[in-house]
């Protein structure tokens, strides 16, 4: 099959979404860009997205990370909280799920509190955030859609760092090229190393986007 942008809630699909958007923008193919945008909106949990039924979120739902099993989203919507079910660590506690990328969070295990650590959300963000940059520059409101879903994904990882006391969730070095872009896009100041390094898909964004503002 060809490249399927954001065909699931998992990191590889987000990275495919970035590649699809990059190729579409390079070719100035508006039809392909529209397809990227529709898939991006679905992943971000835009309720008006036309492709909402065409995304695989089964693994995130099965492990309890979805805000709503009947109508799941790759990125849980603004304001989402959920009670930890009986039999799991933290049972009975209600905690934030707003901004959680459900298929990537399940890599650390079933929904519980505190969650099992995984770096997979950062892998997904390495596709989701650069795709947002390309789509924004192509005329789509990628940084505003779904209550600023891109920002909320990083806010969720920062929440995990603060609430669990584990800096490993957001240490300022993992995916620093992505953190730098989000800081520029939203005017926020998440910690990032002094010199941004090469990433998996993009890198050196402190040089390429030093003065960028959306």
């Amino acid at each position: 099959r060809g490249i399927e942008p954001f065909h699931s809630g998992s990191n590889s699909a987000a990275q495919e979404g970035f590649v699809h958007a990059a190729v579409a923008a390079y070719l100035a193919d508006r039809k392909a860009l529209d397809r990227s945008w529709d898939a991006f909106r679905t992943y971000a949990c835009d309720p008006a997205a036309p492709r909402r039924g065409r995304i695989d979120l089964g693994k995130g739902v099965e492990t309890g990370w979805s805000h709503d099993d009947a109508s799941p989203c790759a990125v849980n919507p603004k304001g989402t909280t959920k009670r930890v079910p009986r039999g799991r660590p933290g049972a009975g506690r209600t905690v934030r799920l707003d901004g959680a990328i459900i298929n990537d969070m399940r890599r650390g295990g079933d929904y519980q509190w505190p969650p099992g650590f995984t770096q997979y959300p950062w892998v997904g963000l390495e596709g989701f955030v650069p795709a947002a940059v390309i789509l924004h520059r192509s005329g789509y409101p990628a940084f505003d859609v779904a209550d600023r879903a891109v920002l909320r994904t990083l806010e969720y990882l920062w929440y995990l760092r603060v609430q669990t006391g584990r800096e490993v969730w957001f240490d300022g070095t993992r995916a620093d090229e992505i953190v730098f872009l989000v800081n520029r896009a939203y005017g926020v100041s998440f910690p990032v190393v002094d010199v941004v390094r090469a990433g998996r898909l993009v890198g050196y964004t402190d040089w390429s986007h030093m003065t960028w503002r959306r």
Side-chain angles (χ1 to χ4, degrees):
R1 63 178 177 85
I3 297 173
E4 293 287 340
F6 299 102
H7 58 85
S8 79
S10 299
N11 55 88
S12 60
Q15 293 190 353
E16 284 188 62
F18 161 65
V19 172
H20 191 277
V23 172
Y26 178 77
L27 296 175
D29 185 334
R30 183 55 58 176
K31 183 177 180 180
L33 279 167
D34 285 344
R35 181 185 177 203
S36 288
W37 172 235
D38 288 346
F40 181 94
R41 290 167 62 197
T42 298
Y43 184 94
C45 199
D46 178 1
R51 294 170 55 85
R52 291 203 67 193
R54 299 180 62 185
I55 185 169
D56 179 5
L57 301 172
K59 293 178 180 178
V61 173
E62 291 167 6
T63 50
W65 284 99
S66 174
H67 79 292
D68 179 355
D69 292 354
S71 184
C73 295
V75 178
N76 278 328
K78 183 178 180 179
T80 299
T81 61
K82 190 171 185 178
R83 182 184 296 271
V84 178
R86 183 183 307 172
R88 297 182 186 173
R93 180 170 179 172
T94 298
V95 293
R96 170 179 177 162
L97 277 186
D98 173 345
I101 304 176
I102 69 171
N103 279 24
D104 288 340
M105 285 301 300
R106 66 96 189 171
R107 297 285 192 137
D110 292 350
Y111 174 57
Q112 62 180 47
W113 188 262
F117 175 69
T118 173
Q119 291 197 30
Y120 273 94
W122 287 112
V123 183
L125 288 170
E126 288 165 351
F128 188 41
V129 175
V133 174
I134 291 171
L135 290 168
H136 167 77
R137 295 186 65 174
S138 298
Y140 305 91
F143 288 105
D144 296 321
V145 72
D147 297 300
R148 305 201 294 180
V150 172
L151 177 61
R152 292 188 295 102
T153 55
L154 270 76
E155 288 179 335
Y156 178 67
L157 294 172
W158 184 257
Y159 166 82
L160 293 180
R161 167 179 164 152
V162 171
Q163 294 298 315
T164 67
R166 300 189 65 194
E167 292 187 5
V168 67
W169 281 109
F170 199 137
D171 63 9
T173 59
R174 183 68 175 86
D176 53 0
E177 75 285 359
I178 300 306
V179 179
F180 186 89
L181 290 173
V182 171
N183 283 346
R184 289 292 183 180
Y186 292 102
V188 294
S189 54
F190 289 118
V192 65
V193 295
D194 291 338
V195 178
V196 172
R197 301 163 298 176
R200 283 182 169 84
L201 297 182
V202 300
Y204 310 112
T205 52
D206 59 339
W207 171 75
S208 63
H209 289 68
M210 182 182 300
T211 60
W212 175 66
R213 294 286 190 277
R214 70 183 179 98

